[in-house]
């Protein structure tokens, strides 16, 4: 790894701070893939973002270019499963460009792939995972409901009733990102027979499935979130995810998903900081660059400190996971802490850009708005705090 790092001297991918050389943690092959991703994002994705945000649309060209980039199982990394550290920096790279783009891609590479990989039987995973990594089988994770978000563990209302080898699903799901691009919905439903949560792959165009785009959003405007209604939807037993048989199994999935969001939050903080730094360096007031003023520099230092500290936490979490250590409290702490730092960093970026910071032209407005959604999704700050608090004290403070 040392050779890989030295070969990039003078052109570091992540010059967040001189305190830590993050490139030394990545292999030459990983750096090559991430560098290739950065080129795709700069050349093909960034030019589309302003209009996409303004129109609340997700250009199909972005989806196609990310599919072509072959990032989930890139040939450069060989046959072995990519490391958590590589996957984390992939999310970071996507998010420092745009949070909506990162959320879309993570829906496939993180939420849906994790649900199948950990929730499916060996035969299901063997059949479906290659299709998922090649984006020939697109899907989304459907857990949240209109009346149940933070209390979904005990309040999940979508029902599943088995008759022979068929299941019938009824209920609603909400805030399901990028469902319009999905071939399958990974739906979590409560079995009427035993009251336990089960997981199902539902064809997005199945009879009884209705999807409506959620509009009027002030955050993550590029993501096409859907409200989904399931009315007597039939699913074959072969499409039930064999290893999801309780909410504890779903919680096992969330442990990984929150880790992904910690990386996305860190990327958003980095993108906001970089956009702010560019703006204040180029903008002049009182005959001097805005970057030359003391109070502006103090804010830049705070932003850089947030990015550097968040990267340190996210990197350590990925290293633990690469060693096989997965704990709810670790991913919950990383998600809540990094999301809070992203929120602060994006607010400071908007602040140093002045009035221009509320437009898309200064390139900080998207990060400022999107930080609000990231602060709440995959577990609110309060819920994640309670997960960590329970681990610290041994006492659960959740409302029962």
């Amino acid at each position: 790894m040392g050779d890989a790092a030295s070969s990039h001297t003078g052109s570091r991918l992540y010059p967040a701070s001189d305190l830590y050389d993050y490139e030394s943690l990545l292999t030459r092959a990983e750096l090559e893939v991430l560098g290739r991703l950065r080129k795709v994002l700069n050349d093909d994705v960034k030019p589309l973002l302003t209009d996409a945000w303004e129109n609340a649309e997700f250009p199909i060209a972005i989806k196609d270019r990310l599919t072509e980039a072959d990032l989930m199982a890139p040939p450069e990394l060989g046959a072995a499963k990519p490391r958590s550290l590589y996957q984390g920096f992939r999310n970071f790279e996507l998010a420092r460009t745009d949070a909506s783009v990162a959320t879309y891609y993570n829906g496939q590479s993180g939420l849906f792939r994790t649900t199948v990989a950990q929730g499916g039987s060996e035969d299901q995973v063997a059949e479906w995972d290659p299709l998922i990594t090649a984006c020939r089988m697109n899907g989304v994770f459907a857990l949240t409901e209109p009346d149940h978000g933070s209390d979904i563990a005990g309040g999940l209302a979508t029902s599943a009733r088995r008759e022979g080898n068929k299941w019938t699903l009824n209920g609603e799901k909400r805030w399901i990102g990028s469902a319009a691009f999905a071939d399958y919905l990974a739906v979590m439903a409560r079995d009427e027979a035993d009251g336990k949560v089960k997981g199902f792959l539902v064809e997005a165009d199945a009879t009884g499935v209705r999807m409506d785009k959620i509009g009027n959003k002030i955050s993550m405007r590029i993501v096409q979130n859907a409200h989904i209604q399931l009315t007597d939807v039939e699913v074959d037993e072969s499409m039930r995810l064999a290893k999801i048989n309780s909410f504890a199994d779903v919680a096992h999935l969330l442990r990984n998903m929150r880790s992904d969001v910690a990386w996305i939050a860190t990327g958003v903080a980095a993108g906001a900081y970089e956009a702010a730094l560019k703006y204040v360096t180029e903008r002049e007031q009182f005959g001097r660059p805005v970057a030359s003023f003391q109070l502006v520099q103090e804010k830049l230092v705070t932003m850089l400190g947030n990015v550097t500290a968040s990267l340190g936490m996210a990197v350590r979490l990925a290293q633990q996971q690469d060693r096989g250590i997965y704990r709810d409290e670790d991913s919950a702490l990383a998600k809540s802490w990094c999301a809070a730092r992203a929120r602060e960093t994006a607010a400071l970026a908007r602040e140093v850009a002045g009035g221009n910071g509320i437009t898309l032209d200064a390139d900080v407005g998207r990060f400022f708005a999107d930080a609000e959604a990231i602060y709440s999704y995959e577990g609110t700050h309060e819920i994640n705090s309670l997960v960590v608090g329970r681990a610290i004290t041994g006492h659960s403070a959740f409302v029962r």
Side-chain angles (χ1 to χ4, degrees), residues 45 49 52-53 55-64 66 98 100-105 178 181 213 221-224:
V45 174
L49 293 177
W53 172 276
N55 298 320
E57 297 175 347
F58 194 102
I60 195 68
I62 293 178
K63 177 180 179 294
D64 291 344
L66 292 178
D98 183 76
S100 291
V101 172
T103 299
Y104 155 74
Y105 194 81
S178 306
F181 298 137
K213 176 182 172 180
R221 285 176 54 80
I222 300 176
V223 173
Q224 305 298 290

Side-chain angles (χ1 to χ4, degrees), residues 349-363:
R350 208 284 319 151
E351 187 175 331
V352 299
N356 290 329
I358 68 170
T359 73
L360 298 175
D361 299 331
D363 207 29

Side-chain angles (χ1 to χ4, degrees), residues 228-306:
I228 300 173
Q229 292 179 299
L230 305 164
T231 305
D232 294 330
V233 178
E234 289 193 354
V235 184
D236 194 85
E237 166 65 12
S238 65
M239 302 304 287
R240 182 177 69 83
L241 292 163
K243 293 183 179 179
I244 298 179
N245 295 295
S246 69
F247 195 83
D249 296 329
V250 177
H252 182 68
L253 305 178
L254 296 175
R255 193 177 302 145
N256 283 31
M257 296 171 185
R258 286 180 180 137
S259 303
D260 292 334
V261 180
W263 280 97
I264 290 173
T266 302
V268 164
Y273 162 72
E274 291 168 13
L277 179 61
K278 181 177 185 294
Y279 179 86
V280 300
T281 302
E282 296 174 352
R283 171 80 167 175
E284 289 193 0
Q285 291 286 279
F286 304 103
R288 297 166 55 187
V290 173
S292 70
F293 293 102
Q294 292 177 345
L295 293 178
V296 171
Q297 290 187 3
E298 188 271 340
K299 291 178 175 62
L300 291 171
V301 171
T302 298
M303 286 187 264
L304 178 58
N306 286 344

Side-chain angles (χ1 to χ4, degrees), residues 105-186:
Y105 194 81
N106 188 62
Q108 174 77 3
S109 67
L111 277 68
F112 185 62
R113 189 183 183 195
T114 296
T115 300
V116 171
Q118 296 188 7
S121 67
E122 290 184 8
D123 288 343
Q124 288 173 328
V125 174
E127 178 183 356
W128 295 333
D129 190 65
L131 300 175
I132 293 171
T133 58
C135 292
R136 288 188 285 128
M137 180 179 181
N138 297 291
V140 293
F141 179 66
L143 173 63
T144 302
E145 299 180 345
D147 298 322
H148 300 285
S150 295
D151 72 341
I152 195 71
L156 191 145
T158 300
S159 66
R161 183 180 69 256
R162 182 172 183 173
E163 296 178 358
N165 283 326
K166 296 287 186 181
W167 292 83
T168 301
L169 274 56
N170 282 281
E172 294 178 85
K173 298 294 179 181
R174 188 166 175 83
W175 294 114
I176 311 306
S178 306
F181 298 137
D183 303 312
Y184 290 93
L185 315 172

Side-chain angles (χ1 to χ4, degrees), residues 42-53:
N42 287 338
D43 295 351
D44 301 326
V45 174
K46 269 190 176 181
L48 303 175
L49 293 177
T50 296
D51 286 345
W53 172 276

